[in-house]
Amino acid sequence: MMTDLLYLYIFVLAAFVGYEVISRVPVILHTPLMSGSNFVHGVVLVGAMWALAHATTPLQLVLGFLAVLLGAANAAGGYVVTERMLGMFATKSDAKPVTKGA
């Protein structure tokens, strides 16, 4: 029982610290932060696949499958969002030059 409370305490503390850290990151650093979080999601996905490979009961198999599914969706979504954010900073080569007095 005590270890469950300890895990809950660590989870709540990590969520609070994560929120405070992320809310203070300047907007210009959001793209590198997204890339870093995509890396972490990849590690989570590998861990979920390892847990699924070592599952023995049907409940563990279901939870492992859900972990792999959600981890893969999270990683793929992160890469899509990063690509979209990087596209916002790309220069358009076919933009019309600005003319004065037109």
Side-chain angles (χ1 to χ4, degrees):
M1 180 65 182
M2 186 62 184
T3 57
D4 292 340
L5 286 176
L6 180 64
Y7 292 148
L8 180 64
Y9 174 74
I10 291 172
F11 176 75
V12 169
L13 186 62
F16 177 74
V17 170
Y19 176 78
E20 287 297 320
V21 169
I22 296 299
S23 67
R24 295 174 195 261
V25 172
V27 174
I28 193 72
L29 295 177
H30 281 185
T31 302
L33 186 65
M34 285 291 294
S35 297
S37 66
N38 288 340
F39 169 74
V40 172
H41 294 158
V43 173
V44 169
L45 181 60
V46 170
M49 288 189 299
W50 184 85
L52 181 61
H54 291 84
T56 55
T57 65
L59 178 63
Q60 291 174 346
L61 287 172
V62 169
L63 290 177
F65 176 76
L66 286 176
V68 169
L69 181 69
L70 294 175
N74 200 7
Y79 281 110
V80 168
V81 169
T82 300
E83 181 71 23
R84 189 170 180 187
M85 289 176 73
L86 289 175
M88 293 171 58
F89 294 108
T91 58
K92 295 181 181 178
S93 61
D94 59 349
K96 295 180 181 177
V98 177
T99 57
K100 294 183 179 179

